[in-house]
Amino acid sequence: MQHDLIALLACPVCHAPLSWNVTEVGEHEVLAAQGSCSGDHEYLIRDGIAVLLPPDSQDPWEEGVSGVEQMLREDPAAEQAMFAADPRALGPADRFLRVQLLQARGQFQEAEREYPDAAAGIYGAAVALAMASTVTAAASRLAAGEGPILDVASGPGTLVRELLRLTERPVIATDVSAWVLRRLRRHVEALGLPVERLALVVCDARSLPFRDGCIADLSTFEGILNIAAAAAGHGSLPRSAAGALLAEWRRVARRMVSVQQFFAPWDILHRAILGHYGMTPLTFSGPFHTLLRETGWQVAAETGHALTRRPTPRSTLLHGVAIDQLPVVPARMRLECLVAARA
């Protein structure tokens, strides 16, 4: 964690400032420290990663093994086929899964080479191109700003890597898993991107560990829906929970750049499916704009691509494994780079 960025951190529980006892430093960052607030909440910086979660929180990726990896371990024949010398022999879903597994294993250069063809195979060339150009558009929007960019729900770092390529600004990547963030750092290093501009913070995106209004720009790549879906589990997401998420991000940041997808307003089938889980406000443009206004955001710009999304094929090597659950039938959608500012 870079020295100047530590001052931005706050207790995610009470939002009070944190006092740090630094015990180890590197060339560009604090490697180890203990922090506490006036409410006696305690946190750590370990291996350069700020961990701002309650002490009893469990890392969902602590062992670094996904469900797919576990299935492969139990099926050696499938694992051998997945990592055959020629990935073109795989079906579209298995080829895409292979790229994800290469990343999980630290084979980042190979994953980078295979990803374009794998994405085109699973989504179609037009959709894959639209996704790539929208991520680039989001990063370009942030190139002219100042101060650190807070990327929320960074995951594998699709947007983070583009921010490091196209901007000169520090980037704070966040995720609920320290393992995921360590993998992202290795990925950035392997691609020769400026890792010295990357800070890593483990946190819950619903309670960000940053001082009020201290971030000029917050970015996310499909993070709003992913966080909401995880919070809802197998139940329905209350509208108040979706609103609370956007209000929390507004507390911290003055502008938000979000890459997300919306179904066409006339799509009755997907509106019914998503409505059952309380996800309509996050997956249809009109309800999402209403939610933004209700939580103090004002849309400043929207650019994107209209496209047709088809259901993604299932794996032939791993029974029952699918890449995406939606859409369930071909659907007209819009992939947006949405910019919103605090009203």
Side-chain angles (χ1 to χ4, degrees), residues 309-341:
R309 287 287 309 272
R310 290 179 168 79
T312 55
R314 291 182 175 271
S315 169
T316 57
L317 293 176
L318 300 173
H319 179 70
V321 174
I323 303 302
D324 294 327
Q325 300 300 320
L326 293 172
V328 296
V329 296
R332 290 293 290 174
M333 302 186 71
R334 185 164 178 84
L335 181 62
E336 288 279 2
C337 171
L338 184 146
V339 182

Side-chain angles (χ1 to χ4, degrees), residues 11 18 32 44 65 98 103 174 193 205 207 248 250 301 312 323:
C11 175
L18 294 170
L44 294 173
V65 180
R98 172 187 160 99
Q103 290 180 341
T174 68
L193 296 172
S207 183
E248 169 64 3
R250 182 186 180 278
T312 55
I323 303 302

